[in-house]
Amino acid sequence: NSKSHIKPHYLQHQYRTTINENTPRGTIVTKLLSVDSVAELSELNGIFFEIITGDDEGVFEVTYPESNLILTKTLDRERNDYYHLRIQMMEVGMQQSNIVHKEDNSSIINVFVAVEDANDEKPVFQPNKYEIELMESVPLKYSITTIVAIDNDQPNLPNSEVVYDITSGNDLGMFSIDLVTGILSVNKPLDYDTGLQNYNLIIRACDSALVP
């Protein structure tokens, strides 16, 4: 075939892009070739794209003739936050040729895809129930315990930074909780004889993101 001497080639040596983990399937992640490049390659029998490494779960595919890298499965940043794809472009029919011929009539490019956090995780208490006994003689500001909730969204961002507040069971203001550290403290003197003997506090943990 007199056309097989034309070697397909990309416009760039590599592509880097970012995509949110909530991005719907079918979305174009990036375009690998310009419209002009696709027209130039029409001299060939046709172009075949193959993701040769970095996509074991089949999250992406490349369309032809558009040369769009598209999303085919739902992303989960907590499972995989980065993809390094190696994509091969070759003439139709060359994918089944011997390796020397394939290398002569193909181009390989690296595509790096970073997955952004979508704030899709909620804080989980560790443990989810606390039972504590106190002496009535403990002083004010006494640290009773530290409430802990873990949010598995991206670390060191508002999506995973947990804040705490008491939503129920503290009408008399006997206790307080530090918004950031989760330390539960005595806020007023306790009295076994004249006060309550049991307090059932409901504590809420939220992330710090402006958009829930």
Coordinates of all heavy atoms in Angstrom, one line a residue, residues 19-86:
I19 N -10.0 16.3 35.8 CA -11.4 16.0 35.7 C -12.0 15.7 37.1 O -11.3 15.1 37.9 CB -11.6 14.8 34.7 CG1 -13.1 14.6 34.4 CG2 -11.0 13.5 35.3 CD1 -13.4 13.6 33.3
N20 N -13.2 16.3 37.3 CA -13.8 16.0 38.6 C -14.4 14.6 38.6 O -14.9 14.1 37.6 CB -15.0 17.1 38.8 CG -15.5 17.1 40.2 OD1 -16.3 16.2 40.6 ND2 -15.1 18.0 41.0
E21 N -14.4 14.0 39.8 CA -14.8 12.6 39.9 C -16.3 12.5 39.7 O -16.8 11.4 39.5 CB -14.5 12.0 41.3 CG -15.1 12.7 42.5 CD -14.8 12.0 43.8 OE1 -14.6 10.7 43.8 OE2 -14.6 12.6 44.8
N22 N -17.1 13.6 39.7 CA -18.5 13.5 39.5 C -18.9 13.7 38.0 O -20.0 13.7 37.6 CB -19.3 14.7 40.2 CG -19.6 14.2 41.6 OD1 -19.5 13.0 42.0 ND2 -20.1 15.1 42.4
T23 N -17.9 13.8 37.1 CA -18.1 14.0 35.7 C -18.9 12.8 35.1 O -18.5 11.7 35.4 CB -16.7 14.1 35.0 OG1 -16.0 15.2 35.5 CG2 -16.9 14.4 33.5
P24 N -19.9 13.1 34.4 CA -20.7 12.0 33.8 C -20.0 11.2 32.7 O -19.1 11.7 32.0 CB -22.0 12.7 33.3 CG -21.5 14.1 33.0 CD -20.5 14.4 34.1
R25 N -20.4 10.0 32.6 CA -19.9 9.1 31.5 C -20.2 9.7 30.1 O -21.2 10.3 30.0 CB -20.4 7.7 31.6 CG -19.9 6.9 32.8 CD -20.5 5.6 32.9 NE -22.0 5.7 33.2 CZ -22.8 4.6 33.3 NH1 -22.3 3.4 33.0 NH2 -24.1 4.8 33.5
G26 N -19.3 9.6 29.2 CA -19.4 10.1 27.9 C -18.8 11.5 27.7 O -18.7 12.0 26.6
T27 N -18.4 12.1 28.8 CA -17.7 13.4 28.7 C -16.4 13.3 28.0 O -15.6 12.4 28.2 CB -17.5 14.0 30.1 OG1 -18.8 14.2 30.7 CG2 -16.8 15.3 30.1
I28 N -16.1 14.3 27.2 CA -14.7 14.4 26.6 C -13.7 14.9 27.6 O -13.9 16.0 28.1 CB -14.8 15.3 25.3 CG1 -15.8 14.8 24.3 CG2 -13.4 15.5 24.8 CD1 -16.0 15.8 23.1
V29 N -12.7 14.1 27.8 CA -11.7 14.4 28.8 C -10.6 15.4 28.1 O -10.2 16.4 28.7 CB -11.0 13.2 29.3 CG1 -9.8 13.5 30.3 CG2 -12.0 12.2 29.9
T30 N -10.2 15.0 26.9 CA -9.3 15.9 26.1 C -9.4 15.4 24.7 O -9.8 14.3 24.3 CB -7.9 15.8 26.6 OG1 -7.1 16.8 26.0 CG2 -7.2 14.4 26.3
K31 N -9.0 16.3 23.8 CA -8.9 16.0 22.3 C -7.5 15.8 21.9 O -6.6 16.6 22.2 CB -9.5 17.1 21.5 CG -9.8 16.8 20.0 CD -10.5 17.9 19.3 CE -10.8 17.5 17.9 NZ -11.8 16.4 17.8
L32 N -7.2 14.7 21.3 CA -5.8 14.3 21.0 C -5.3 14.9 19.7 O -4.1 15.1 19.5 CB -5.6 12.8 20.9 CG -6.0 12.0 22.2 CD1 -5.9 10.5 22.0 CD2 -5.2 12.5 23.4
L33 N -6.2 15.2 18.7 CA -5.7 15.7 17.4 C -6.6 16.9 17.1 O -7.8 17.0 17.5 CB -5.9 14.7 16.3 CG -5.1 13.4 16.5 CD1 -5.4 12.4 15.3 CD2 -3.6 13.6 16.4
S34 N -6.0 17.9 16.3 CA -6.8 19.0 15.8 C -7.6 18.5 14.6 O -7.4 17.5 14.0 CB -5.9 20.1 15.4 OG -5.2 19.8 14.3
V35 N -8.6 19.3 14.2 CA -9.4 19.0 13.0 C -8.5 19.0 11.8 O -8.7 18.1 11.0 CB -10.5 20.1 12.8 CG1 -11.3 19.9 11.5 CG2 -11.5 20.1 14.0
D36 N -7.6 19.8 11.7 CA -6.6 19.8 10.6 C -5.8 18.6 10.5 O -5.6 18.0 9.4 CB -5.7 21.0 10.6 CG -6.4 22.4 10.4 OD1 -7.5 22.3 9.8 OD2 -5.9 23.4 10.8
S37 N -5.4 18.1 11.7 CA -4.6 16.8 11.7 C -5.4 15.7 11.3 O -4.9 14.8 10.5 CB -4.1 16.6 13.1 OG -3.2 17.6 13.5
V38 N -6.7 15.6 11.7 CA -7.6 14.5 11.2 C -7.7 14.5 9.7 O -7.7 13.5 9.1 CB -8.9 14.6 12.0 CG1 -9.9 13.6 11.4 CG2 -8.8 14.4 13.5
A39 N -7.9 15.7 9.2 CA -8.0 15.9 7.7 C -6.8 15.4 7.0 O -6.8 14.7 6.0 CB -8.3 17.3 7.3
E40 N -5.6 15.8 7.5 CA -4.3 15.3 6.9 C -4.2 13.8 7.0 O -3.7 13.2 6.0 CB -3.2 16.0 7.7 CG -3.1 17.5 7.5 CD -2.0 18.1 8.4 OE1 -1.3 17.3 9.0 OE2 -1.9 19.3 8.4
L41 N -4.6 13.2 8.0 CA -4.5 11.8 8.2 C -5.5 11.0 7.3 O -5.5 9.8 7.3 CB -4.6 11.4 9.6 CG -3.5 11.8 10.5 CD1 -3.8 11.6 12.0 CD2 -2.2 11.1 10.1
S42 N -6.4 11.7 6.7 CA -7.4 11.0 5.8 C -6.7 10.3 4.6 O -7.3 9.5 3.9 CB -8.4 12.0 5.3 OG -7.8 13.0 4.4
E43 N -5.4 10.7 4.4 CA -4.6 10.0 3.3 C -4.4 8.6 3.7 O -4.1 7.7 2.8 CB -3.3 10.7 3.1 CG -3.4 12.2 2.6 CD -2.1 12.8 2.4 OE1 -1.2 12.2 1.7 OE2 -1.8 13.9 3.0
L44 N -4.4 8.3 4.9 CA -4.2 6.9 5.4 C -5.5 6.1 5.2 O -6.6 6.6 4.9 CB -3.8 6.9 6.9 CG -2.5 7.6 7.2 CD1 -2.3 7.7 8.7 CD2 -1.3 7.0 6.5
N45 N -5.4 4.8 5.4 CA -6.5 3.9 5.3 C -7.5 4.1 6.4 O -8.7 3.7 6.4 CB -6.1 2.4 5.3 CG -5.2 2.1 4.1 OD1 -5.5 2.6 3.0 ND2 -4.3 1.2 4.3
G46 N -7.1 4.8 7.5 CA -7.9 5.0 8.7 C -7.0 4.9 9.9 O -5.9 4.3 9.8
I47 N -7.4 5.5 11.0 CA -6.6 5.5 12.2 C -7.2 4.7 13.3 O -8.4 4.7 13.5 CB -6.4 7.0 12.7 CG1 -5.6 7.8 11.6 CG2 -5.6 7.0 14.0 CD1 -4.3 7.3 11.3
F48 N -6.4 4.0 14.0 CA -6.8 3.1 15.1 C -6.1 3.6 16.3 O -4.9 3.8 16.4 CB -6.5 1.7 14.8 CG -6.8 0.7 16.0 CD1 -8.0 0.2 16.2 CD2 -5.7 0.4 16.8 CE1 -8.3 -0.6 17.2 CE2 -6.0 -0.5 17.9 CZ -7.3 -1.0 18.1
F49 N -6.9 3.9 17.4 CA -6.4 4.3 18.7 C -6.5 3.1 19.7 O -7.5 2.4 19.7 CB -7.1 5.5 19.3 CG -6.9 6.8 18.5 CD1 -7.8 7.1 17.5 CD2 -5.8 7.6 18.8 CE1 -7.7 8.3 16.8 CE2 -5.7 8.8 18.1 CZ -6.6 9.1 17.1
E50 N -5.4 2.9 20.5 CA -5.4 1.9 21.5 C -4.7 2.4 22.8 O -3.6 2.9 22.7 CB -4.7 0.7 21.0 CG -4.6 -0.5 22.0 CD -3.8 -1.7 21.5 OE1 -3.2 -1.6 20.4 OE2 -3.9 -2.7 22.1
I51 N -5.5 2.3 23.9 CA -4.9 2.6 25.2 C -4.1 1.4 25.6 O -4.7 0.4 26.0 CB -5.9 3.0 26.2 CG1 -6.7 4.2 25.7 CG2 -5.3 3.4 27.6 CD1 -7.9 4.6 26.6
I52 N -2.8 1.5 25.6 CA -2.0 0.2 25.8 C -1.6 0.0 27.2 O -1.4 -1.1 27.6 CB -0.7 0.2 24.9 CG1 0.1 1.5 25.1 CG2 -1.1 0.1 23.4 CD1 1.4 1.5 24.2
T53 N -1.5 1.1 28.0 CA -1.3 0.9 29.5 C -2.0 2.0 30.3 O -2.3 3.1 29.7 CB 0.2 1.0 29.8 OG1 0.8 2.3 29.5 CG2 1.0 -0.1 29.1
G54 N -2.2 1.7 31.5 CA -2.8 2.7 32.4 C -4.3 2.7 32.6 O -4.8 3.6 33.3
D55 N -5.0 1.8 31.9 CA -6.4 1.8 32.0 C -7.0 0.4 32.1 O -7.8 0.0 31.3 CB -7.0 2.5 30.8 CG -8.5 2.7 30.9 OD1 -9.0 2.9 32.0 OD2 -9.2 2.8 29.8
D56 N -6.5 -0.3 33.1 CA -6.9 -1.7 33.3 C -8.4 -1.9 33.5 O -8.9 -3.0 33.2 CB -6.1 -2.3 34.4 CG -4.6 -2.4 34.2 OD1 -4.2 -2.3 33.0 OD2 -3.8 -2.5 35.2
E57 N -9.0 -0.9 34.0 CA -10.5 -1.0 34.3 C -11.4 -0.5 33.2 O -12.6 -0.5 33.4 CB -10.8 -0.3 35.7 CG -10.0 -0.9 36.9 CD -10.3 -0.2 38.1 OE1 -11.0 0.9 38.0 OE2 -9.9 -0.6 39.2
G58 N -10.8 -0.1 32.1 CA -11.6 0.4 31.0 C -12.4 1.7 31.3 O -13.5 1.8 30.9
V59 N -11.7 2.6 32.0 CA -12.4 3.9 32.3 C -12.5 4.8 31.1 O -13.4 5.7 31.1 CB -11.7 4.5 33.5 CG1 -12.3 5.9 33.9 CG2 -11.7 3.6 34.7
F60 N -11.6 4.7 30.2 CA -11.5 5.6 29.1 C -11.5 4.9 27.7 O -11.2 3.7 27.7 CB -10.2 6.4 29.1 CG -10.0 7.2 30.4 CD1 -9.2 6.6 31.5 CD2 -10.5 8.4 30.7 CE1 -9.0 7.2 32.7 CE2 -10.3 9.1 31.9 CZ -9.6 8.5 32.9
E61 N -11.8 5.6 26.7 CA -11.6 5.1 25.3 C -11.4 6.3 24.4 O -11.8 7.5 24.7 CB -12.8 4.3 24.8 CG -14.1 5.0 24.6 CD -15.2 4.1 24.1 OE1 -15.3 2.9 24.6 OE2 -15.9 4.5 23.1
V62 N -10.9 6.1 23.2 CA -10.6 7.1 22.2 C -11.5 6.9 21.0 O -11.6 5.8 20.5 CB -9.1 7.2 21.8 CG1 -8.9 8.4 20.9 CG2 -8.2 7.3 23.0
T63 N -12.2 8.0 20.6 CA -13.1 7.9 19.5 C -12.4 8.2 18.2 O -11.4 9.0 18.2 CB -14.3 8.8 19.6 OG1 -13.9 10.1 19.7 CG2 -15.1 8.4 20.9
Y64 N -12.8 7.7 17.1 CA -12.3 8.0 15.7 C -13.5 8.3 14.8 O -14.5 7.5 14.9 CB -11.4 6.9 15.2 CG -10.9 7.3 13.8 CD1 -9.8 8.1 13.6 CD2 -11.6 6.8 12.6 CE1 -9.4 8.5 12.4 CE2 -11.1 7.1 11.4 CZ -10.1 8.0 11.2 OH -9.6 8.4 10.0
P65 N -13.5 9.3 14.0 CA -12.3 10.2 13.7 C -12.1 11.4 14.6 O -11.2 12.1 14.4 CB -12.6 10.6 12.3 CG -14.1 10.8 12.2 CD -14.6 9.6 13.1
E66 N -13.0 11.5 15.6 CA -12.9 12.7 16.4 C -11.6 12.8 17.2 O -11.2 13.9 17.6 CB -14.1 12.8 17.4 CG -15.5 12.8 16.7 CD -16.0 11.5 16.4 OE1 -15.3 10.5 16.6 OE2 -17.1 11.4 15.8
S67 N -11.0 11.7 17.6 CA -9.8 11.6 18.4 C -10.0 12.2 19.8 O -9.1 12.8 20.4 CB -8.6 12.3 17.7 OG -8.7 13.7 17.8
N68 N -11.2 11.9 20.3 CA -11.6 12.4 21.7 C -11.3 11.3 22.7 O -11.7 10.1 22.5 CB -13.0 12.8 21.8 CG -13.4 14.0 20.9 OD1 -12.5 14.9 20.7 ND2 -14.6 14.0 20.4
L69 N -10.6 11.6 23.7 CA -10.5 10.7 24.9 C -11.7 10.9 25.7 O -12.0 12.1 26.2 CB -9.2 11.0 25.7 CG -9.0 10.2 26.9 CD1 -8.8 8.7 26.6 CD2 -7.9 10.7 27.8
I70 N -12.6 9.9 25.9 CA -13.8 10.1 26.6 C -13.9 9.2 27.8 O -13.2 8.2 27.9 CB -15.1 9.8 25.7 CG1 -15.1 8.4 25.3 CG2 -15.1 10.8 24.5 CD1 -16.4 8.0 24.6
L71 N -14.7 9.6 28.8 CA -14.9 8.8 30.0 C -16.0 7.8 29.8 O -17.1 8.2 29.4 CB -15.3 9.8 31.1 CG -15.4 9.2 32.5 CD1 -14.1 8.8 33.0 CD2 -16.0 10.3 33.5
T72 N -15.7 6.5 30.1 CA -16.7 5.5 29.9 C -17.2 4.8 31.2 O -18.2 4.1 31.1 CB -16.1 4.3 29.0 OG1 -15.0 3.8 29.6 CG2 -15.7 4.9 27.6
K73 N -16.6 5.1 32.3 CA -17.1 4.6 33.6 C -17.0 5.7 34.6 O -16.3 6.7 34.5 CB -16.2 3.4 34.0 CG -16.4 2.2 33.2 CD -15.6 1.0 33.8 CE -15.8 -0.3 33.0 NZ -15.0 -1.4 33.6
T74 N -17.8 5.5 35.7 CA -17.8 6.5 36.8 C -16.5 6.5 37.5 O -15.9 5.5 37.8 CB -18.9 6.2 37.8 OG1 -20.2 6.1 37.1 CG2 -19.0 7.2 38.9
L75 N -16.0 7.7 37.8 CA -14.7 7.9 38.6 C -15.0 7.8 40.1 O -16.0 8.2 40.6 CB -14.1 9.2 38.2 CG -13.6 9.4 36.7 CD1 -13.3 10.9 36.5 CD2 -12.4 8.5 36.4
D76 N -13.9 7.4 40.8 CA -13.9 7.5 42.3 C -12.6 7.9 42.7 O -11.6 7.1 42.7 CB -14.3 6.1 42.8 CG -14.5 6.1 44.3 OD1 -14.1 7.1 45.0 OD2 -14.9 5.1 44.9
R77 N -12.4 9.2 43.1 CA -11.1 9.7 43.5 C -10.5 9.0 44.7 O -9.3 8.8 44.8 CB -11.2 11.2 43.8 CG -9.8 11.9 43.9 CD -9.9 13.0 44.9 NE -10.2 12.6 46.3 CZ -9.3 12.1 47.1 NH1 -8.0 12.0 46.8 NH2 -9.7 11.7 48.3
E78 N -11.4 8.5 45.6 CA -10.9 7.8 46.8 C -10.3 6.5 46.4 O -9.5 5.9 47.2 CB -12.1 7.6 47.8 CG -12.5 8.9 48.5 CD -13.2 9.9 47.6 OE1 -14.0 9.5 46.8 OE2 -12.9 11.1 47.7
R79 N -10.7 6.0 45.3 CA -10.1 4.7 44.8 C -8.9 4.9 43.9 O -7.9 4.2 44.0 CB -11.2 3.9 44.1 CG -10.7 2.5 43.6 CD -11.9 1.8 42.9 NE -11.5 0.5 42.4 CZ -12.3 -0.3 41.8 NH1 -13.6 0.0 41.6 NH2 -11.9 -1.5 41.4
N80 N -9.0 5.9 43.0 CA -7.9 6.2 42.1 C -8.0 7.6 41.7 O -8.9 8.1 41.1 CB -8.0 5.3 40.8 CG -6.8 5.3 40.0 OD1 -5.9 6.1 40.2 ND2 -6.7 4.4 39.0
D81 N -6.9 8.4 42.1 CA -6.9 9.8 41.9 C -6.0 10.3 40.8 O -5.9 11.5 40.5 CB -6.6 10.6 43.2 CG -5.2 10.3 43.7 OD1 -4.5 9.4 43.0 OD2 -4.7 10.8 44.7
Y82 N -5.4 9.3 40.0 CA -4.5 9.7 39.0 C -4.4 8.6 38.0 O -4.3 7.4 38.3 CB -3.1 10.0 39.6 CG -2.1 10.7 38.7 CD1 -2.2 12.0 38.4 CD2 -1.1 10.0 38.1 CE1 -1.3 12.6 37.5 CE2 -0.2 10.6 37.3 CZ -0.3 11.9 37.0 OH 0.6 12.5 36.1
Y83 N -4.4 9.0 36.7 CA -4.2 8.0 35.6 C -3.1 8.4 34.7 O -3.0 9.6 34.3 CB -5.5 7.8 34.8 CG -6.7 7.2 35.5 CD1 -7.5 8.0 36.2 CD2 -6.9 5.9 35.5 CE1 -8.6 7.5 36.9 CE2 -8.0 5.3 36.1 CZ -8.8 6.1 36.8 OH -9.9 5.6 37.5
H84 N -2.2 7.5 34.4 CA -1.2 7.7 33.4 C -1.4 6.8 32.2 O -1.1 5.6 32.3 CB 0.2 7.5 34.0 CG 1.3 7.6 33.0 ND1 2.6 7.1 33.3 CD2 1.4 8.1 31.7 CE1 3.4 7.3 32.2 NE2 2.7 7.9 31.3
L85 N -2.0 7.3 31.2 CA -2.3 6.5 30.0 C -1.3 6.6 28.9 O -0.7 7.7 28.7 CB -3.7 7.0 29.4 CG -4.9 7.2 30.4 CD1 -6.0 7.7 29.6 CD2 -5.2 5.9 31.0
R86 N -1.0 5.5 28.3 CA -0.1 5.5 27.1 C -1.0 5.1 25.9 O -1.6 4.0 25.9 CB 1.1 4.6 27.2 CG 2.0 5.0 28.3 CD 3.3 4.1 28.4 NE 4.2 4.3 27.3 CZ 4.5 3.3 26.4 NH1 3.9 2.1 26.5 NH2 5.3 3.6 25.4

